Amino acid sequence: MDTQPPTLPSEPNDKHPFRMGEGGRFLVVAASAFVVLWGLQNARSVIIPMLMAGFLAIISYSVTGLLRRYLRFPHWLAVTATVIFDGGVLFGVISLINYLARDMVRTLQGDVAVRLSERYDVIMAAFANFGLEEHMRAIYSSPQDMFDVHQIISFTQSLTGQVLGIMSTCTLVLIMMTFLLGEAPLFLTNLRRLPSSAKGKEQFINALQGIQRYLFIKTVSSTLTAVLVWILCAVMHIPFAFLWAVLAFVLNYIPTIGSIMAALPPIAMAVLLGSWGDVLIVTLGYIGINCGIGNGIEPLFLGKQFGIATSVILLSVIFWGWVWGPCGMLLAVPITVLLKLALESSQDLWWVAAIIDGGKQDTTPKH
């Protein structure tokens, strides 16, 4: 009886039709990234309130801790007081912006419209010095073409009509923040129970503390920026000075781009209603305020807080602004910090964290 030798396992075949090559893996990753971005954009109505609640809870937990430590508040009372304070600030700022926007509509319907029309000839005379008057008059044949007050009024009124929707979102944010603050001690206790050698524990704690410090310093610097902007605009008699101060406070949370966006409306008002000397003073004043606070005071307290390259921060602001709009721009830095932490803990993607690192620390994963 013939016996056949046992069949040996076949060697793996690199040319197996179902084996995926480098190009196939790249296409899968690219397609997955596209699906994730599509999901993030379409789920913004759910994700943004969750992120806002989380970051508000991070910055507000220090207030809860102070109330418990120095005023001996029980935890539930400290959380309640913190949420009431945050809610007062949020609804106060929204109501203030709504009031100032309505005041802008009333003012634009008054003497400002006449002053804008009178400014038309002054601006055209300035273009005449460069031989551009005929070209500009062909584009803007009348003051109404250059200063369409009715469009500004219509835009402002539509903006104030969205305030109720923003308030409802803030209510949802405050509710979620209440639960997060209430569960914060349990979360910290579970975090401390992890062994000191647990992967990523120290980095995660440092990241949370860094985000908390960053948001606190940003709030202080935004307040200082708003006060200085209000003084500058009031001294230079720029209309709606308080509105530009509130705008500067909000947009200062957006790195680099926010300060430019906040400076454009008052500078435009100076161009339309003031002399060229006023335009120069307002422009230099904004440059001085933003450079002094953004490049002087903030780095003094923050330093290289997260070890992220400046260009990466700017790109993250643009990217998250594209994904989630203004809220994405406001939260771009904290989101990027958490993503960098996740990349550092990944054995396959740690090199991405090394590329975007600003030179603060070694991003090679410890396995």
Side-chain angles (χ1 to χ4, degrees):
M1 181 177 180
D2 295 334
T3 58
Q4 295 181 351
T7 303
L8 297 177
S10 60
E11 294 293 330
N13 184 4
D14 292 336
K15 297 183 179 180
H16 194 280
F18 297 103
R19 183 177 294 277
M20 187 175 296
E22 292 294 334
R25 283 196 293 270
F26 172 78
L27 291 177
V28 170
V29 171
S32 301
F34 176 80
V35 172
V36 169
L37 289 177
W38 178 84
L40 290 175
Q41 283 188 321
N42 285 272
R44 67 170 65 190
S45 60
V46 177
I47 296 177
I48 289 178
M50 293 172 59
L51 289 175
M52 293 291 292
F55 289 119
L56 276 177
I58 291 174
I59 191 175
S60 301
Y61 188 70
S62 58
V63 178
T64 304
L66 291 175
L67 293 176
R68 294 179 60 187
R69 185 178 303 113
Y70 295 105
L71 298 181
R72 304 297 180 184
F73 278 20
H75 181 65
W76 67 269
L77 183 58
V79 170
T80 303
T82 303
V83 173
I84 291 175
F85 174 78
D86 289 348
V89 172
L90 285 175
F91 288 113
V93 170
I94 293 173
S95 301
L96 181 61
I97 292 176
N98 184 41
Y99 169 78
L100 294 174
R102 293 181 182 275
D103 180 65
M104 175 185 283
V105 172
R106 291 191 296 268
T107 306
L108 288 175
Q109 291 173 334
D111 62 334
V112 171
V114 178
R115 293 169 63 187
L116 289 175
S117 298
E118 294 173 351
R119 189 67 177 169
Y120 173 80
D121 294 328
V122 177
I123 294 177
M124 287 302 170
F127 281 117
N129 297 329
F130 300 95
L132 299 174
E133 182 179 6
E134 293 184 2
H135 178 70
M136 293 304 298
R137 285 188 182 274
I139 300 175
Y140 303 106
S141 58
S142 66
Q144 288 74 24
D145 292 337
M146 181 173 288
F147 317 120
D148 195 340
V149 178
H150 296 292
Q151 284 190 2
I152 299 175
I153 293 174
S154 176
F155 172 77
T156 306
Q157 288 176 336
S158 65
L159 189 63
T160 57
Q162 299 176 7
V163 170
L164 291 178
I166 296 174
M167 284 188 173
S168 62
T169 302
C170 289
T171 303
L172 178 61
V173 168
L174 291 173
I175 292 173
M176 289 190 290
M177 190 187 76
T178 303
F179 285 97
L180 291 175
L181 284 176
E183 297 291 338
L186 177 61
F187 172 76
L188 294 175
T189 300
N190 293 336
L191 189 62
R192 294 190 187 100
R193 287 175 179 172
L194 294 175
S196 57
S197 59
K199 180 181 174 182
K201 174 185 174 180
E202 183 179 353
Q203 291 92 330
F204 182 72
I205 294 175
N206 292 336
L208 288 180
Q209 293 175 344
I211 291 174
Q212 188 179 46
R213 179 178 174 82
Y214 169 80
L215 293 175
F216 176 77
I217 297 298
K218 265 296 184 181
T219 301
V220 174
S221 66
S222 295
T223 303
L224 180 59
T225 300
V227 171
L228 295 177
V229 164
W230 177 76
I231 293 174
L232 173 66
C233 293
V235 170
M236 298 305 301
H237 303 289
I238 303 297
F240 322 117
F242 201 68
L243 177 61
W244 308 137
V246 175
L247 188 68
F249 172 83
V250 175
L251 294 182
N252 191 62
Y253 285 92
I254 303 175
T256 308
I257 299 177
S259 58
I260 298 175
M261 294 168 59
L264 291 179
I267 293 176
M269 280 291 174
V271 171
L272 297 177
L273 301 176
S275 65
W276 297 114
D278 295 337
V279 176
L280 181 62
I281 293 174
V282 173
T283 303
L284 293 178
Y286 263 91
I287 293 175
I289 292 171
N290 292 321
C291 289
I293 295 178
N295 298 327
I297 296 178
E298 285 185 7
L300 180 65
F301 290 97
L302 287 174
K304 276 195 147 182
Q305 183 71 36
F306 304 119
I308 300 176
T310 305
S311 58
V312 175
I313 291 179
L314 180 59
L315 291 174
S316 70
V317 170
I318 298 173
F319 175 77
W320 291 113
W322 170 70
V323 175
W324 287 328
C327 289
M329 299 176 76
L330 288 172
L331 300 175
V333 173
I335 292 173
T336 305
V337 169
L338 295 179
L339 285 178
K340 181 173 180 284
L341 174 64
L343 292 172
E344 288 176 355
S345 302
S346 172
Q347 190 171 7
D348 296 325
L349 299 175
W350 67 268
W351 56 273
V352 179
I355 291 176
I356 67 175
D357 186 67
K360 180 185 176 183
Q361 59 186 359
D362 180 20
T363 56
T364 304
K366 277 67 176 179
H367 299 292

